Amino acid sequence: MPAFLRALDSRNYRIYFAGQLISLAGTWMQQIAMVWLAYRLSGSAFVLGMVGFASQIPILVFGAIGGVITDRFDKRRLLLATQALSMVQAVLLAALAWLGEATTGHLIALAFGLGCINALDVPTRQAIAVHLVDDRDDLPNAIALNSFLMNIARFVGPTLAGFVVALVGEAVCFLLNAASYLAVLLALLAIRLPADSARRPSAPPLQALREGLAYAASHPGIRSSLLIVATTSFLAAPYVVLMPLFAKEIFGGDARLFGLLVGCAGGGSLLGSLYLAGRQGTDGLARLVGVAAPATGAAVALFALSPGIWMAMPVLVGLGLVLIVTVAGSNTLIQTQVSNDFRGRVMALFTMAFLGIAPLGSFSVGSLAHAFGVRPTLVACGLLTIAAGLAYRRRVT
């Protein structure tokens, strides 16, 4: 097994990886189709921001409680439940789109429902990684491969979604996503975790939550990583919700160009994930994140100023690369520093910083873009991200 795939030597992780590969491709197809459908129905940057806000705000509101649940119960059974509920949500979307009954209200409501599921699903998936590898030294590689997996899906899914939407409509994307959940459900049924992998703390839920928050706040490395992820998610990541406007109104394309642009960012993230997977250990990783974070801001600003797709596409590749190094590198730093007793709660905080803060960014950036224009808004976000990245770099070097 090549060194950058060493975590796949573990049977449980290998099975989980295969199931997630199929499911995440479907997830990305649904995300792209959902955003495009919202834009087709409304033509509004504000509505695009609202869909992104609704899908992720539950993670910010309920994510911490999800972390407490993750630390108390069997992680495999939790994931079986959340993945089954996600399948039901995709079937509902497919039915509404197929019948032509979908409205922006439906999309916002179903996005909110999926966000509530993800408030438990995402921290559980983050916390289960350490239990899937036979050798604890393979954990950084497993985390990097998780990012690699996400970005294979992010590279393939949007491109496929663009063509599927253009040829047969959004409903087929939703239906394919529903079917893809079967793969991860079968994988979860096949893996076997150690008996002690589901810790049940004796503290009451609210006390357990306070203990998790205090633990993260008192650990300088974890605290710094959470802050840079939250800042990047608020300022830089929302560029994705404005992508349909760039595809259609600025570059004059359709759903296929939209999928291609998102796929370019996914390709860059794939390269970043491969680089992280090939690293040995975490030496120098904090300094690397300290370079990647301000570079993310610079890439957002350059994308906003791109005069055409000939510049936008390579910039998006670079943006995807440095963004994933920032986020996945921070994830690795946290996972290798956190105590197992607090893993679920701290990974819930990471999930809140990465996905929970993003809806506030989506809502804010969407609203500002509606009022002041897409390009000026993204340039300002890029400059603020550069400042935040330089501040993080000073703290860790």
Side-chain angles (χ1 to χ4, degrees):
M1 188 75 68
F4 73 94
L5 297 175
R6 56 191 179 276
L8 294 177
D9 286 332
S10 301
R11 173 188 175 276
N12 281 337
Y13 185 77
R14 188 165 59 247
I15 294 171
Y16 178 80
F17 185 94
Q20 286 288 318
L21 177 62
I22 297 171
S23 179
L24 288 173
T27 298
W28 269 102
M29 290 186 71
Q30 173 168 304
Q31 288 182 3
I32 296 303
M34 196 170 182
V35 169
W36 187 260
L37 179 58
Y39 179 66
R40 182 167 64 81
L41 292 173
S42 69
S44 168
F46 178 77
V47 170
L48 291 177
M50 280 299 299
V51 170
F53 179 83
S55 68
Q56 293 174 309
I57 193 63
I59 296 175
L60 181 62
V61 176
F62 305 121
I65 298 300
V68 173
I69 295 171
T70 297
D71 277 337
R72 285 175 176 263
F73 298 103
D74 184 278
K75 297 173 180 59
R76 185 177 69 93
R77 291 183 180 180
L78 288 175
L79 288 178
L80 283 168
T82 57
Q83 295 294 295
L85 289 171
S86 298
M87 178 189 290
V88 172
Q89 188 264 2
V91 169
L92 289 174
L93 264 176
L96 286 170
W98 190 271
L99 295 172
E101 299 293 331
T103 65
T104 56
H106 289 139
L107 296 180
I108 292 169
L110 285 170
F112 181 81
L114 185 60
C116 291
I117 297 168
N118 285 336
L120 177 58
D121 178 79
V122 178
T124 305
R125 281 194 280 120
Q126 294 286 341
I128 204 174
V130 69
H131 304 296
L132 296 175
V133 292
D134 299 331
D135 186 346
R136 179 66 179 267
D137 290 340
D138 289 338
L139 179 59
N141 180 250
I143 296 167
L145 287 179
N146 285 345
S147 298
F148 173 73
L149 180 64
M150 174 66 77
N151 289 297
I152 289 178
R154 188 181 178 189
F155 181 71
V156 174
T159 305
L160 287 177
F163 283 97
V164 171
V165 169
L167 293 174
V168 292
E170 298 90 354
V172 176
C173 285
F174 302 144
L175 192 60
L176 289 172
N177 180 47
S180 75
Y181 283 109
L182 292 173
V184 73
L185 288 171
L186 291 172
L188 288 167
L189 289 170
I191 65 175
R192 294 293 179 267
L193 297 181
D196 62 349
S197 66
R199 179 180 178 270
R200 294 171 175 81
S202 57
L206 290 179
Q207 182 181 334
L209 175 58
R210 287 193 297 268
E211 290 173 353
L213 292 171
Y215 175 83
S218 65
H219 195 297
I222 292 175
R223 186 176 64 245
S224 294
S225 294
L226 290 173
L227 286 173
I228 191 59
V229 170
T231 304
T232 303
S233 295
F234 183 83
L235 294 171
Y239 82 92
V240 176
V241 303
L242 299 178
M243 200 78 79
L245 281 80
F246 275 91
K248 187 171 184 179
E249 296 184 8
I250 295 178
F251 299 140
D254 58 11
R256 285 169 287 193
L257 179 59
F258 173 46
L260 182 60
L261 291 175
V262 178
C264 285
S269 297
L270 185 62
L271 293 175
S273 301
L274 281 171
Y275 170 72
L276 290 174
R279 285 178 53 89
Q280 297 289 334
T282 58
D283 290 344
L285 185 55
R287 290 190 296 274
L288 179 63
V289 173
V291 172
T296 298
V300 169
L302 285 174
F303 171 67
L305 297 172
S306 297
I309 59 172
W310 58 269
M311 178 176 173
M313 290 173 66
V315 168
L316 284 172
V317 172
L319 174 54
L321 191 155
V322 292
L323 183 58
I324 204 63
V325 169
T326 301
V327 175
S330 298
N331 187 348
T332 301
L333 289 168
I334 293 170
Q335 289 258 37
T336 52
Q337 295 174 68
V338 67
S339 164
N340 271 341
D341 291 345
F342 292 93
R343 187 173 299 277
R345 282 162 284 180
V346 170
M347 294 320 298
L349 293 176
F350 171 82
T351 302
M352 292 166 66
F354 180 36
L355 298 177
I357 292 295
L360 301 180
S362 296
F363 180 78
S364 300
V365 171
S367 300
L368 290 171
H370 184 74
F372 302 106
V374 176
R375 291 188 190 270
T377 299
L378 282 186
V379 169
C381 288
L383 294 175
L384 290 171
T385 304
I386 292 172
L390 293 175
Y392 170 85
R393 186 176 180 179
R394 285 195 296 270
R395 286 195 298 269
V396 301
T397 56

